[in-house]
Each structure stands twice: as C-alpha cells, then as structure tokens.
C-alpha cells in the first residue's frame, strides 16, 4: 500500500519546521518563503532547462536558536535564507529581483532578509572541495522546502501572497 503524497501547499508544514520560534516569527518565515517561491522568475534568463528551486534552507541565528530582538533599540537578527536552484543561470539577480522587491514592500523595516542563491553544481563543488563554510551552514540549517518532498505552490498561492 502506498502513502498518498500531499500535493496541496500547506503553510503549516513550513511553520512546523521552525516550531522552536515564537508564532510571529514562524508566520514571517513561512510568508517570506512563500513570496520568494511565488515570485522567483526563471524566465529572466535563457537556460537549457526550466528553473526550479530545489531547496530553501534557513541558516543563522533563527536556525541555531539564538536569535534576538530588542524592542527598545529596534535591533533584531536577520532572516538568512539559502536557496539552491537547479542551474547556475538561475542564480542571476534578475531571477530574484521581483521576489526581493515584494519581500521588501511586505515587511519594510520590520525584518531584514538576507538571501544567498546557489546552484546544485555550487553545492557539488563545495562538497568536493570540502568547503566548510557552505557545508557547515547547510548541515546546521533548517530545510524549509525541498522540491523532492514538498508540494508545489497551488494556484491560490501563485496569484500572490496573502496576509
């Protein structure tokens, strides 16, 4: 007997992966992830294959569980997200410009989002060269999305993020 796959996007799945955070932070991370997935625009470059986000990894203080937020000084940790795409051409800034703009307009100064975009070949090279900077962060990070196991965005999510 085979287990049916979940082919409907559920925001609770991403939020559960960061269950160690307070609810507001969980919601922000889920929303940022959804926006970036929705507005990734691989059509901005000519590539030999369709653009696919293979993996999204939360790294840094929110993954290490040592984030901070000081309401008095408005000082807070950045959300650090690493994206792995299927081809080096999709690391081009043009593919991510709209997504970054939407995140910036949605969140403004409420939170800072740092993105690093890598291709699958970048990760293979890092493994071959034993690049501890990259490998340690991937190992310690929290995978928020993996194309091989998680559902794609539904039509409703593709129309744009909802509050």
């Amino acid at each position: 007997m085979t287990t049916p796959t979940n082919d409907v996007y559920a925001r609770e799945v991403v939020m559960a992966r960061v269950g160690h955070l307070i609810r507001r932070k969980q919601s922000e991370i889920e929303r940022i992830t959804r926006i970036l997935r929705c507005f990734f625009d691989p059509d901005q470059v000519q590539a030999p294959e369709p653009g696919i986000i293979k993996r999204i990894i939360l790294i840094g203080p929110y993954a290490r569980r040592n984030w901070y937020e000081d309401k008095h000084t408005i000082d807070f940790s950045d959300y650090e997200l690493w994206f792995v795409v299927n081809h080096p051409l999709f690391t081009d800034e043009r593919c991510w410009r709209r997504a970054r703009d939407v995140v910036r307009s949605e969140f403004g100064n409420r939170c800072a989002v740092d993105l690093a975009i890598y291709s699958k070949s970048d990760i293979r090279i890092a493994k071959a060269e034993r690049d501890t900077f990259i490998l340690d962060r991937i190992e310690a990070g929290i995978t928020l999305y993996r194309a091989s196991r998680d559902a794609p965005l539904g039509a409703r999510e593709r129309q744009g993020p909802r509050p």
Side-chain angles (χ1 to χ4, degrees):
M1 183 169 152
T2 61
T3 306
T5 59
N6 180 8
D7 61 355
V8 177
Y9 175 79
R11 63 190 301 255
E12 293 78 18
V13 172
V14 174
M15 291 174 66
R17 292 178 182 153
V18 288
H20 63 283
L21 299 174
I22 61 174
R23 186 82 170 158
R24 180 174 56 85
K25 296 292 182 185
Q26 292 174 21
S27 294
E28 286 177 350
I29 289 171
E30 184 281 328
R31 190 157 167 76
I32 291 165
T33 302
R34 185 166 20 108
I35 290 168
L36 292 167
R37 284 181 64 198
C38 181
F39 288 100
F40 166 60
D41 188 5
D43 294 336
Q44 293 298 315
V45 295
Q46 289 186 326
E49 56 191 282
I52 299 171
I53 297 172
K54 301 297 279 183
R55 194 169 171 190
I56 302 172
I57 307 163
L58 176 68
I59 65 163
Y62 289 100
R64 290 190 310 263
R65 296 166 167 77
N66 66 347
W67 60 280
Y68 63 90
E69 183 172 314
D70 185 347
K71 291 184 171 99
H72 301 294
T73 63
I74 313 173
D75 193 22
F76 51 83
S77 299
D78 293 0
Y79 291 122
E80 298 176 57
L81 298 170
W82 281 15
F83 283 68
V84 179
V85 292
N86 62 319
H87 193 279
L89 288 173
F90 301 122
T91 63
D92 189 296
E93 174 59 30
R94 292 173 293 174
C95 297
W96 299 94
R97 187 174 298 132
R98 176 82 173 118
R100 289 178 196 261
D101 289 346
V102 172
V103 167
R104 212 172 291 119
S105 72
E106 287 275 329
F107 291 95
N109 292 334
R110 255 191 1 233
C111 62
V113 180
D114 296 328
L115 301 181
I117 316 298
Y118 296 94
S119 68
K120 278 178 46 178
S121 59
D122 293 332
I123 303 303
R124 277 195 299 273
I125 291 167
K127 287 179 181 176
E129 295 178 351
R130 294 187 174 95
D131 183 337
T132 56
F133 175 80
I134 291 175
L135 299 177
D136 289 351
R137 279 156 187 78
I138 290 173
E139 177 78 24
I142 297 171
T143 298
L144 301 174
Y145 169 78
R146 186 184 306 249
S148 62
R149 75 164 182 223
D150 293 322
L153 292 176
R156 194 167 101 191
E157 287 81 17
R158 287 219 168 269
Q159 291 173 356
R162 68 179 198 278

